[in-house]
């Protein structure tokens, strides 16, 4: 149906001033309303007597009903207060519309709201309160006092006392107030839906554990907020309350119950060696390195064992020494197990609306990284399927505003839950259900989300209950039959608040329905006394201003999460066996993009950066080791390097080489390394020019994406050119040719000498050894000279 449009600010200001003046005139006979003296007030300037309303009956009286107000008063000063009279008060005229009620809730505590009731028997006197002491009170509003007609009245209590330094002067020394709707005529009950939100900020350590387990133990244990919410669901019984669930919450609790393990690179339980390759490596024959020394075995060798194995302490993947669980971890695990039992039982009893995983800032992601928003929705569906929970997908930002792009990008079956401030009908009224941007929506009451007026807690049990019935009464006064969607304030305590809230459905103004019915097809077509709730609004009816856009999670927070997921995919991609690493990292990354992260985006972003560093450390555990320098004695040769895997799981990687000079490295095939191992590699190198050249080697995945480890070193090449070989060949030919000529000439001379010796006289067998020397003539014979010549 339709809700009245909020009054313009100028009209609201005039209405507030008029109401204040009217109530001031009505209260003049009561004398002075001065603030308490400074000597009796606490150091923070609050009232020295702190009051709280714990019961108000009936919550929606008729004009002639007796109203009883009960509560406590506590002395928060340093003095003893005596003769404390507690009086009820109420306004003389009622509030008639929701915008004025919202404005009234912001009025200062000292504002004059109406006369005190001083009739005998209506007030209570407390003789004395020492510092820190409390006492209970009960006061009455007599029948017929609320005679200004139907509407919402101010009602509350004042305490007036005295001390040794503070005389009784008629001013209130303590006060509490709330709203009291009066409805005289019986009217058909209004449909309403109550949302119980199971959402919480979830922070992780860099290793992927749930951070602050002690705080989670309190949240999940007796008296904790998340425990109280489940017990509030239990207390609803057959009442159809609706759960608004972030699946990341039970998922985090499951991790705590399992001992809070970190993100892991370990293989999935059903992963086999055949799926990821052989971890044992493929050893080969020994080789010799380029310097002439032994290069060792081209295979994997395990990392050296600790010096003293009996004293070594294994370390888990987050770098923290393995040890017994801390008391905080034990307490968190016990609380988590008990909470999960209650959770599983409760989720099967009431309808569930499911948020994207991690309660992510949908508008911010749709603008800057829509694929992450789709991932959050997909992961939410997967977790719900694992838990066996049937749920309706929904977008429901805590502040109630969504961008047009976020709404338009949802699937048709996804519900949209907005604040009534996020829609503005051009005709001047705000519908509570309908369609916009071709999507079904419902609007929750911003007044109820704001809670009750001060000075008490706005999220107190009575404050919230009275705001609920007041909003319902004002709708009924103008015959607005649109459903009332009740989303309590974030700090609302369901331990006491739920009981008070459910009491409004026992008898009174409201009939409880599931929210899915309110925003579903049946609700949109149901015949009601006022215009049909299924109207379609124009696109510009959606309120989306620069203020809402500036409140979005900053782009820097989204960018660091994208980088974290990129690193996780890279690391998982080199693991030889299937691993849950990316899924684990995603479950830690998405909550850092939640609406809760808007409050302190920088701190959340730093957590993500540290988690990315944790992944980088593991990527750099797969590294390459090279010599300080190397030399190639020709244009081709081998270079020796070592690949090291310091992870506890096997990996499959490649080596990529680059050189700005003329050094070419043969492309390498993928290499599988066993856990905690190292392997010697021989790289085939070709030089296209001589001299010193820098060689850079990187470890990459099988697609060539670098993991992080880089090693560079100089390689000197002594290449001999082709021209030099020709020159050397020609020189060798000349040398050997000269040697051949000299040998041939020597042979001919030797043969001539042998022939001459055979022609000399003498007996056979006596040549060369005469018995007696011969007498030679002074000059040789002419014939002999010619023969020798």
């Amino acid at each position: 149906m339709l809700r009245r449009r909020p009054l313009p600010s100028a009209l609201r200001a005039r209405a507030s001033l008029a109401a204040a003046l009217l109530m001031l005139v009505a209260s003049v006979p009561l004398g002075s309303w001065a603030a308490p003296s400074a000597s009796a007030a606490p150091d923070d300037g609050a009232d020295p007597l702190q009051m709280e309303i714990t019961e108000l009956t009936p919550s929606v009286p008729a004009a002639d009903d007796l109203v009883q107000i009960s509560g406590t008063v506590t002395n928060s000063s340093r003095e003893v207060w005596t003769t404390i009279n507690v009086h009820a008060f109420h306004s003389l005229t009622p509030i008639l519309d929701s915008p004025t009620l919202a404005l009234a809730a912001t009025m200062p505590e000292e504002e004059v709201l109406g006369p005190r009731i001083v009739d005998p028997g209506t007030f209570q006197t407390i003789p004395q309160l020492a510092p820190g002491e409390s006492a209970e009170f009960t006061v009455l509003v007599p029948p017929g006092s609320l005679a200004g007609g139907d509407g919402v009245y101010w009602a509350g209590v004042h305490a007036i006392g005295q001390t040794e330094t503070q005389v009784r002067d008629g001013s209130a020394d303590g006060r509490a107030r709330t709203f009291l709707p009066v409805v005289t005529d019986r009217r058909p009950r209004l449909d309403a839906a109550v949302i119980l939100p199971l959402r919480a900020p979830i922070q992780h350590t860099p290793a992927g554990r749930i951070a602050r387990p002690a705080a989670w133990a309190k949240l999940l244990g007796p008296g904790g907020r998340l425990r109280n919410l489940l017990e509030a669901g239990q207390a609803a019984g057959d009442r159809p309350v609706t759960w608004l669930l972030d699946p990341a919450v039970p998922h985090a609790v499951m991790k705590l119950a399992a001992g809070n393990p970190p993100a892991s690179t370990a293989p999935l339980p059903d992963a086999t060696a055949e799926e990821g390759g052989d971890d044992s490596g493929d050893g080969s024959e020994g080789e010799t390195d380029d310097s002439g020394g032994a290069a060792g075995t081209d295979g994997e060798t395990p990392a050296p064992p600790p010096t003293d194995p009996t004293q070594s302490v294994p370390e888990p993947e987050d770098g923290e020494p393995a040890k017994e669980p801390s008391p905080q971890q034990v307490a968190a695990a016990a609380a988590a197990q008990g909470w999960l039992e209650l959770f599983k039982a409760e989720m099967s009893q009431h309808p569930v609306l499911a948020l994207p995983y991690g309660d992510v800032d949908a508008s911010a992601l749709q603008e800057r990284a829509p694929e992450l928003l789709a991932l959050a929705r997909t992961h939410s569906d997967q977790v719900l399927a694992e838990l066996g929970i049937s749920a309706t997908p929904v977008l429901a930002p805590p502040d109630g505003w969504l961008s047009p792009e976020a709404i338009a990008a949802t699937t048709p079956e996804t519900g949209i839950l907005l604040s009534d401030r996020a829609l503005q009908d051009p005709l001047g009224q705000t519908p509570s259900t309908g369609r916009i941007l071709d999507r079904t929506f419902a609007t929750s009451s911003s007044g109820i989300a704001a809670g009750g007026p001060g000075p008490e807690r706005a999220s107190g049990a009575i404050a919230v209950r009275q705001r609920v019935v007041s909003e319902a009464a004002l709708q009924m006064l103008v015959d607005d039959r649109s459903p009332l969607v009740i989303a309590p304030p974030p700090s609302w305590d369901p331990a006491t608040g739920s009981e008070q809230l459910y009491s409004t459905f026992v008898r009174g103004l409201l009939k409880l329905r599931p929210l899915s019915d309110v925003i579903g097809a049946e609700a949109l077509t149901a015949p009601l006394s006022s215009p049909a709730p299924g109207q379609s609004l124009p696109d510009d009816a959606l309120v989306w201003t620069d203020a809402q856009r500036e409140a979005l999670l900053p782009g820097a927070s989204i960018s660091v999460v994208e980088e974290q997921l990129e690193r996780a995919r890279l690391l998982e991609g080199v693991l030889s066996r299937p691993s849950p690493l990316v899924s684990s990292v995603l479950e830690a990354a998405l909550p850092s993009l939640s609406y809760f992260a808007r409050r302190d985006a920088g701190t959340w972003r730093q957590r993500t950066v540290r988690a990315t560093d944790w992944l980088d450390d593991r990527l750099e555990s797969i590294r390459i080791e090279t010599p300080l320098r190397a030399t190639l004695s020709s244009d081709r040769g081998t270079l020796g390097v070592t690949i090291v895997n310091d992870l506890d799981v096997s990996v499959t990687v490649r080596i990529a080489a680059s050189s700005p000079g003329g050094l070419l490295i043969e492309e390498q095939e993928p290499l599988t390394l066993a856990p905690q191992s190292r392997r010697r590699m021989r790289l085939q190198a070709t030089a296209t020019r001589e001299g010193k050249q820098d060689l850079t080697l990187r470890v990459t995945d099988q697609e060539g994406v670098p993991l992080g480890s880089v090693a560079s070193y100089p390689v000197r090449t002594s290449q001999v050119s082709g021209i030099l070989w020709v020159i050397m060949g020609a020189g060798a030919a000349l040398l050997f040719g000269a040697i051949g000529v000299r040998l041939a000439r020597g042979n001919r001379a030797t043969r001539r000498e042998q022939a001459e010796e055979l022609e000399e006289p003498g007996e056979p067998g006596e040549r060369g050894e005469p018995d007696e020397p011969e007498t030679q003539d002074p000059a040789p014979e002419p014939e002999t000279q010619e023969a020798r010549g």
Side-chain angles (χ1 to χ4, degrees):
M1 280 310 198
L2 302 177
R3 293 200 182 100
R4 292 180 181 271
R5 180 179 182 176
L7 293 175
S9 58
L11 293 179
R12 289 199 304 250
R14 294 191 190 104
S16 175
L17 179 59
L21 289 174
L22 178 61
M23 289 183 283
L24 178 60
V25 170
S27 62
V28 167
L30 297 178
S32 173
W33 290 74
S37 65
S39 62
D43 294 337
D44 59 3
D47 287 339
L49 300 177
Q50 295 292 303
M51 307 190 75
E52 179 182 5
I53 299 174
T54 58
E55 188 56 80
L56 189 154
T57 55
S59 59
V60 185
D64 56 353
D65 284 344
L66 172 70
V67 178
Q68 178 175 297
I69 304 175
S70 300
T72 61
V73 57
T74 301
N75 180 3
S76 60
S77 74
R78 296 185 296 272
E79 296 186 271
V80 176
W81 283 81
T82 60
T83 320
I84 303 169
N85 288 341
V86 180
H87 296 271
F89 76 87
H90 62 84
S91 60
L92 297 178
T93 57
I95 297 168
L96 300 178
D97 59 76
S98 184
T100 305
L101 184 69
L103 187 63
T106 65
M107 294 178 69
E109 300 171 13
E110 299 81 11
E111 193 78 39
V112 177
L113 301 176
R116 297 177 189 140
I117 300 174
V118 296
D119 298 343
T122 62
F123 65 92
Q124 179 177 335
T125 300
I126 300 173
Q128 179 176 296
L129 278 181
E133 189 177 3
S134 298
E136 296 182 347
F137 65 82
T138 297
V139 296
L140 303 174
V141 178
S145 299
L146 306 171
D150 286 1
V152 177
Y153 290 80
W154 278 107
V157 289
H158 286 161
I160 305 169
Q162 60 192 25
T163 71
E164 292 182 355
T165 62
Q166 168 90 15
V167 298
R168 184 183 297 272
D169 57 7
S171 63
D173 300 305
R175 68 200 80 203
R177 58 186 185 173
T178 189
F179 295 127
L180 183 63
V182 173
V183 178
T184 302
D185 297 335
R186 293 187 60 85
R187 301 169 186 262
R189 292 197 295 172
L190 196 68
D191 286 339
V194 171
I195 300 172
L196 297 178
L198 266 176
R199 60 203 318 173
I202 305 172
Q203 296 179 337
H204 292 76
T205 68
R209 289 186 170 96
I210 304 298
R212 303 178 63 201
W216 278 91
K218 293 180 180 179
L219 282 173
L220 303 173
R225 184 176 63 85
L226 294 180
R227 176 77 178 215
N228 288 345
L229 275 168
L230 291 181
E231 291 177 350
Q234 261 189 337
D238 295 334
R239 301 183 186 94
V241 297
T242 301
W243 286 107
L244 181 64
L245 173 66
D246 173 12
V249 173
H251 222 195
V253 179
M254 291 169 67
K255 287 189 68 173
L256 289 168
N260 201 10
S264 176
T265 56
L268 292 167
D270 57 348
T272 62
E274 289 75 18
E275 290 175 328
D278 185 4
D279 285 351
S280 62
D282 55 352
S284 60
E285 298 298 328
E287 298 177 350
T288 304
D289 63 18
D290 299 312
S291 63
T297 301
D298 182 17
E300 297 172 359
T301 58
T307 305
D308 184 0
T310 62
Q311 298 298 322
S312 65
V313 180
E315 294 188 356
E317 290 190 80
D318 59 356
E320 299 174 2
K323 55 186 177 182
E324 293 295 321
S326 66
Q328 293 84 358
Q329 292 281 10
V330 172
Q337 290 169 355
W339 188 90
L340 283 172
E341 293 177 5
L342 188 57
F343 169 80
K344 292 175 182 178
E346 181 53 32
M347 290 302 107
S348 63
Q349 298 300 314
H350 295 105
V352 179
L353 300 178
L355 295 163
Y357 192 96
D359 199 7
V360 293
D361 188 337
S363 297
L365 291 188
Q366 185 59 44
E367 178 179 330
R368 300 184 176 100
E371 67 283 354
L372 283 180
L373 181 57
L375 256 180
R377 172 55 66 197
T378 300
H379 205 65
S380 176
D381 295 340
Q382 292 172 349
V383 172
L384 291 171
E386 293 173 8
L387 294 172
I389 296 174
S390 176
T392 301
V394 70
L395 289 183
D399 62 2
W401 276 286
L402 276 174
S403 69
E405 295 79 10
I407 294 176
T410 60
T411 58
E413 63 271 13
T414 299
I416 306 297
L417 181 59
L418 304 170
S419 167
D420 55 15
R421 297 177 296 169
L423 289 175
Q424 189 62 71
D425 189 340
L427 299 178
Q429 294 177 310
T430 302
S432 63
T433 58
R435 293 181 70 81
I436 191 168
L437 296 170
D438 201 30
R439 296 294 182 269
T440 303
F441 72 84
T443 57
S444 61
S445 168
S446 58
I448 294 174
E456 294 181 272
R457 291 186 305 113
S459 58
I462 295 298
V464 171
R465 186 196 72 180
Q466 292 306 115
R467 188 63 183 265
V468 168
V469 293
S470 296
E471 295 286 352
L474 293 177
Q475 276 192 225
M476 297 177 73
L477 289 178
V478 296
D479 201 26
D480 180 358
R481 300 296 304 166
S482 58
L484 183 65
V485 179
I486 301 169
S491 57
W492 177 70
D493 182 7
T496 56
S498 59
E499 181 181 352
Q500 295 288 352
L501 184 58
Y502 296 153
S503 68
T504 64
F505 303 105
V506 176
R507 66 179 184 86
L509 307 180
L510 300 170
K511 179 175 65 176
L512 197 58
R513 296 179 62 189
L515 182 61
S516 56
D517 287 355
V518 171
I519 64 176
E522 293 182 3
L524 296 179
T525 58
L528 299 172
S529 58
S530 55
Q535 63 176 310
S536 293
L537 296 182
D539 295 352
D540 58 4
L542 185 69
V543 177
W544 185 251
T545 66
D546 290 342
Q548 277 82 54
R549 187 172 287 104
E550 290 172 1
L552 296 178
L553 198 67
S557 297
I558 299 173
S559 296
V560 296
V561 166
E562 289 178 313
E563 184 177 357
Q564 180 188 12
L565 292 174
E566 181 182 351
R567 293 287 201 284
R569 295 186 185 103
L570 181 59
L571 179 54
E572 186 176 286
V574 301
L575 302 180
S576 300
R577 300 181 181 181
S579 164
L581 178 66
V582 170
S583 179
S584 298
V585 171
L586 182 68
E587 290 161 6
L590 289 177
S592 68
L593 299 176
S594 71
Y595 292 100
F596 294 104
R598 286 183 178 182
R599 302 174 185 173
D600 190 1
T603 299
W604 286 79
R605 187 160 57 249
Q606 286 303 315
R607 283 182 171 272
T608 304
V609 170
R610 289 195 293 271
T612 304
D613 291 342
W614 183 87
L615 292 167
D616 284 340
D617 289 344
R618 274 130 195 88
L619 286 168
E620 292 173 0
S621 295
I622 311 166
R623 66 186 190 277
I624 188 167
E625 296 178 350
T626 63
L628 295 177
R629 63 186 63 87
T631 301
L632 288 179
S633 59
S634 67
D635 62 340
R636 296 178 181 236
T638 59
L639 299 173
V641 297
T642 301
I643 308 299
V644 180
N645 174 25
D646 284 337
L647 294 179
D648 293 328
V649 291
S650 65
V651 297
T652 302
V653 296
R654 302 181 75 158
I655 299 175
S658 61
S659 173
L663 193 62
L664 304 177
I665 302 297
E666 183 178 303
E667 184 177 354
Q668 302 298 304
E669 293 297 321
L671 169 70
T672 298
L673 295 170
Q676 296 289 336
S677 67
R678 49 198 302 123
R679 173 176 291 187
R680 180 76 174 176
M681 298 291 298
R682 305 269 321 254
L683 307 180
Q684 296 297 323
T686 301
T688 59
R689 63 179 178 85
E690 61 181 321
K692 187 178 76 171
Q693 301 167 61
D694 290 329
L695 176 63
T696 300
L697 300 176
R698 291 179 172 85
V699 182
T700 75
D701 67 1
Q702 297 189 55
E703 304 300 323
V705 180
L707 303 188
S709 177
V710 181
S712 297
Y713 66 104
V715 178
R716 183 173 295 278
T717 60
S718 301
Q719 183 182 3
V720 180
S721 68
I723 295 177
L724 183 59
W725 282 112
V726 172
I727 295 173
M728 292 176 62
L734 291 173
L735 175 64
F736 289 117
I739 293 173
V741 170
R742 292 177 65 88
L743 290 174
R745 288 177 179 176
N747 289 335
R748 285 197 297 269
T750 301
R751 286 195 297 272
R752 284 197 300 268
E753 291 175 357
Q754 291 175 350
E756 291 173 356
E757 291 175 357
L758 292 174
E759 293 175 356
E760 292 180 356
E763 293 297 327
E766 296 179 357
R767 182 174 60 89
E769 294 184 7
D771 293 334
E772 295 181 3
E774 296 182 353
T775 301
Q776 298 182 355
D777 295 333
E781 297 275 343
E783 296 81 8
T784 306
Q785 184 70 33
E786 293 177 358
R788 292 181 179 177

